[in-house]
Amino acid sequence: MVSSTVNIVRYTALLSGVFYGVYHRRTLQKAHDADKAHHAKHEREALILQAKEAWKKKQEGGKDGVITDPEDPHFDLEKLIAKWESDSK
């Protein structure tokens, strides 16, 4: 038979391992959540910058009077092709 001291050491090691596992899991989860929040914040910032650049490009595109959006009801393909030809020269 196994002595009671050995059983105490075994169960102490088992419970210590379980508690360490729980603590380690919480630490890893906290770091993962912080990284996920950080990534989401920077992703939103990148999307905002991309939208600002698209807005500037759209506003600058209207200065020459040619509409480049084919979904726009005032879109004229002939004017767009003429603009491209003049830009290539």
Side-chain angles (χ1 to χ4, degrees):
M1 300 272 310
V2 179
S3 70
S4 62
T5 307
V6 173
N7 280 337
I8 290 173
V9 171
R10 284 181 183 169
Y11 284 111
T12 303
L14 176 67
L15 289 176
S16 298
V18 169
F19 286 128
Y20 173 75
V22 169
Y23 172 76
H24 188 63
R25 166 72 181 178
R26 285 185 180 177
T27 304
L28 290 175
Q29 188 65 42
K30 188 183 293 184
H32 174 66
D33 290 343
D35 186 44
K36 191 175 178 181
H38 179 74
H39 178 70
K41 178 182 175 185
H42 286 287
E43 181 68 23
R44 282 191 304 266
E45 289 175 357
L47 287 173
I48 289 171
L49 287 175
Q50 183 181 4
K52 285 181 180 181
E53 289 174 4
W55 175 256
K56 285 180 184 178
K57 185 177 179 181
K58 183 178 179 183
Q59 294 301 320
E60 290 174 359
K63 290 180 181 177
D64 56 4
V66 177
I67 299 172
T68 58
D69 182 16
E71 299 295 324
D72 193 336
H74 300 292
F75 176 72
D76 188 6
L77 184 61
E78 293 175 2
K79 286 183 182 178
L80 182 61
I81 293 173
K83 178 186 174 262
W84 287 342
E85 287 177 355
S86 67
D87 287 345
S88 66
K89 291 180 182 179

